[in-house]
Amino acid sequence: MKNSWSETDARRYGRKSKQIPDSRIGQCLYMTRLTGNEPDLAMHGGGNSSVKLAIADPVGNQVPALAVKASGVDMGAACAEDFVLLELGYLRSLAQGSDIADETMVELFRTKQIRVHPRR
């Protein structure tokens, strides 16, 4: 299998923007697309990728977060908007909990989704 990684492309994907508030999301997106476009590595439309980072909340506090490519999004066609930002501390607390049904877990995740508020 040929190594398709390009430092130039990784830096381009990693540039910060309103849609990508942290360069690590861009680099994860680049890795996601490379993986998704390699049929020997990913099943059609399947797979997940994520990266841990800190996101500024609306008042500028840094919040530990996990950026996860949304389920159902083809890895080969993913874009920055396909990553969901979740409060990492809350996710860790859920891991300590007892057996939680999948449907309940999805609802709990939604309550701790972080919305990015671009600065003016």
Side-chain angles (χ1 to χ4, degrees):
M1 183 174 309
K2 180 181 175 253
N3 180 355
S4 299
W5 186 267
S6 160
E7 285 300 324
T8 301
D9 289 343
R11 280 192 296 278
R12 184 173 50 85
Y13 272 84
R15 287 191 191 120
K16 295 180 182 182
S17 71
K18 289 179 182 176
Q19 290 77 28
I20 305 175
D22 187 294
S23 64
R24 286 168 288 187
I25 293 177
Q27 291 173 342
C28 186
L29 172 60
Y30 176 60
M31 179 274 311
T32 299
R33 293 188 77 163
L34 281 178
T35 303
N37 285 311
E38 179 55 57
D40 291 337
L41 295 177
M43 295 181 354
H44 174 71
N48 282 313
S49 55
S50 63
V51 62
K52 294 175 190 169
L53 45 90
I55 297 293
D57 70 10
V59 295
N61 298 317
Q62 293 295 307
V63 178
L66 181 69
V68 182
K69 184 197 67 66
S71 294
V73 173
D74 183 351
M75 291 180 80
C79 63
E81 293 79 12
D82 294 324
F83 282 80
V84 177
L85 300 171
L86 301 167
E87 283 185 32
L88 189 54
Y90 184 72
L91 296 178
R92 287 183 172 140
S93 72
L94 289 176
Q96 303 303 317
S98 59
D99 196 22
I100 301 172
D102 289 347
E103 299 81 19
T104 303
M105 189 71 75
V106 169
E107 288 303 316
L108 292 171
F109 286 172
R110 286 188 180 129
T111 67
K112 295 299 181 175
Q113 186 173 344
I114 301 169
R115 307 263 188 248
V116 176
H117 302 276
R119 299 200 175 257
R120 295 176 193 224

